Amino acid sequence: MPKNAFYAQSGGVTAVINASACGVIETARKHPEQIGKVYAGRNGIIGALTEDLIDTSAESDADIAALKHTPSGGFGSCRFKLKSLEDNKREYERLIEVFKAHDIGYFFYNGGGDSADTCYKVSQLSEKMGFPVQAIHVPKTVDNDLPITDNCPGFGSVAKYIAVSTLEASFDVRSMAATSTKIFVIEVMGRHAGWIAAAGALVEDNGIPVVTLFPEVEFDQEKFLAAVKAKVEEHGFCTIVVSEGCHWPDGKFLAEQGTRDSFGHAQLGGAAPVVANMIKEALGYKFHWAVADYLQRAARHLASESDVAQAYALGEAAVQKAVEGKNSIMPTVVRESSNPYKWSIGEAPLSEVANVEKMMPMDFISEDGFGITDACKEYLYPLIKGEAYPPYTDKGMPDYVTLKHVAVPKKLDTFEL
Amino acid sequence: MPKNAFYAQSGGVTAVINASACGVIETARKHPEQIGKVYAGRNGIIGALTEDLIDTSAESDADIAALKHTPSGGFGSCRFKLKSLEDNKREYERLIEVFKAHDIGYFFYNGGGDSADTCYKVSQLSEKMGFPVQAIHVPKTVDNDLPITDNCPGFGSVAKYIAVSTLEASFDVRSMAATSTKIFVIEVMGRHAGWIAAAGALVEDNGIPVVTLFPEVEFDQEKFLAAVKAKVEEHGFCTIVVSEGCHWPDGKFLAEQGTRDSFGHAQLGGAAPVVANMIKEALGYKFHWAVADYLQRAARHLASESDVAQAYALGEAAVQKAVEGKNSIMPTVVRESSNPYKWSIGEAPLSEVANVEKMMPMDFISEDGFGITDACKEYLYPLIKGEAYPPYTDKGMPDYVTLKHVAVPKKLDTFEL
């Protein structure tokens, strides 16, 4: 009897994580001699710990195929980081116990840095515990911070959404600037790294005056206001792309401006209104601001074709490599050339992936700290290349799938998280 | 010699106002015997007052065609309302003077309610002043508040963008709700009318628990929190769509919550963070919020096919009707049937359009005030039907056009606004 497989989605979801799920499940279905059923964790790894498994064999081929064009986590995800082996061996042992009970020989974990680490530990521990599980990590993160792989699925689509949206809103402001709004501020995700903000900075190539605020560059109010003023004086308007992670030299985020509501309660705001009001106070320009938040990482309607193809290919490769007997690895995207864009699938040992964070190279940020370099553009454009639209219904809404989620009968005692 | 035409864009721009411009210019080019050149006002009607005219004949056929897929105002727009004839006859007389100097016999004004009024007055006054100008209003407004026409170009595309974005972000929250974010708040445009918010409420048909806050319904905090709590208890999460115009019984906008920054300055925020923080304080749910702002009205990448087709057809009809000798009218969209969706072009006299604001029918809002009725859905779906994607470059960015803007030589003295 072939072993079953376990698949789970981890952390913040993306527009294309389900394309990886689709790649995993469709490819597993092509290898019935080596892989039995694919069980998915309901709400991620928590589903494994609580033995809350979804039987993906109950989903039709058409519904599994539809995952490729459906954003979000089709099986649910969670932000739950397993502690270190020393601090909480109990959780790892429970995972192995659940895998044993359901005859799971393959563990496909779809996530970012933390899940790569968990995946690595499971492969080590399972061997020690005498129930070897092939653990393969499928990369996913809009933060684009996993090492070795050229880029991470999820990022390309956010980048495309932010580049296009920033361009469109900038065209809008340009139309009105002579007598009205002169400043448009868009706040984008990126607590630690400016990858997504860098995508907004691409609109410079479309003739848009843009000032970008990266988490990598300490905020210098005077220099920033001077840059904005210069753009407005030259072009009549200015677009500002601000990372949520943009911060003052003392480390305090711009978003934590200490705003209080009328009752004196601390008010959680965004960085965008802070920046917009700052410009208004100092320079008097009329502004508009937007906070894209989840819209950006969920925007499957504007996914990058490169991104969708790579998300699928990495899920597919994970299963192929598992079938070939590989263990404790992560399939990667290898860039063969930027122009024309060519990529292939490689692999990295999890020992080299776990706990390594890849930052944006400093030579991707322009000298003044407010823009991106040609090297950065050469890196980014291929990742936003191509459009992979979802199908739409007659009514004009995207035809996204919601799965049935048939539960696998439990065999073990309850486990307290 | 045929008379020239003057075209101007008015007020907030949209994803499809340039499609109307395209309809006007392409159709005028087909009638060289009746229409000479089409001059466009640089930055709207201000361009006419200051005699700052753009010669559209200097733009290539390809660039004019590209307007159909380019968001924003291709010739610039402005928020400049001409005062009443009694208060400022000088401005109206200047308009006629400029029209006379440039032999302009047709006035195509592309905007909302204010511009319909201006258009009407120009047609009346020009006759009195012995230089008759055929004034045709081309409807445009994301607010969807012009009378007689079934709907207004610009609205359908915002509606599609908000419906799709709300669905995508709701799928995202649904994936994470078991252990993380349970509330997603999206703020949409609509100072006086809840049309755009109503589009967000459509996601109910996709199984999303959604509570919508309309400007038409006075905000009742207790009832609202109870509605949100009930949704979260039943579904595990809840999406909230809030109009920027949502207000307390005393008329104060939710967005004007009296927040102050650390220096004690009044802070302009959005309604979304106010609503999100209110839920957090009362119910303790983790939240995310987005403010779409200009992204929504500029989102040509997700325009509705119905909307683009109608925007073009109304520009085309404006010129055809002018050539037929019509004056002081606005071409309209007439709905023949909702299912299947059929529409045609009608016309309304400007005397019946000027100064009339069409509100959302109260029977479009559900009894509890937090959702929409079937009648509303039947009205909305046809307007978001179909996808009319722009072309993209090899690099993955939309191929939007920026026009040359060749100025027409001035013939008159300077005019102070």
Side-chain angles (χ1 to χ4, degrees), chain A residues 246-324:
Chain A
C246 179
H247 56 81
W248 297 90
D250 67 2
K252 203 169 125 184
F253 290 120
L254 260 67
E256 306 171 282
Q257 194 66 313
T259 59
R260 304 203 163 263
D261 69 14
S262 46
F263 307 101
H265 300 134
Q267 186 90 2
L268 288 177
V274 170
V275 167
N277 279 287
M278 183 188 293
I279 293 170
K280 174 76 179 172
E281 296 240 338
L283 306 170
Y285 302 138
K286 193 176 171 216
F287 61 80
H288 264 253
W289 56 265
V291 175
D293 194 64
Y294 280 179
L295 305 190
Q296 68 200 287
R297 74 178 198 195
R300 182 61 184 81
H301 74 267
L302 188 60
S304 140
E305 193 178 39
S306 302
D307 196 30
V308 174
Q310 290 170 356
Y312 185 89
L314 289 162
E316 181 183 43
V319 175
Q320 285 167 344
K321 287 174 189 295
V323 166
E324 290 164 15

Side-chain angles (χ1 to χ4, degrees), chain B residues 69-113:
Chain B
H69 63 246
T70 299
S72 83
F75 302 101
S77 185
C78 65
R79 295 198 179 281
F80 183 88
K81 191 185 174 177
L82 272 74
K83 295 196 190 71
S84 70
L85 267 173
E86 299 71 42
D87 289 346
N88 203 342
K89 205 172 175 185
R90 175 178 164 267
E91 283 175 354
Y92 290 91
E93 287 172 351
R94 168 70 177 187
L95 276 186
I96 308 296
E97 191 191 2
V98 171
F99 289 173
K100 222 168 176 172
H102 294 276
D103 206 25
I104 289 164
Y106 307 95
F107 174 34
F108 300 108
Y109 203 18
N110 201 172

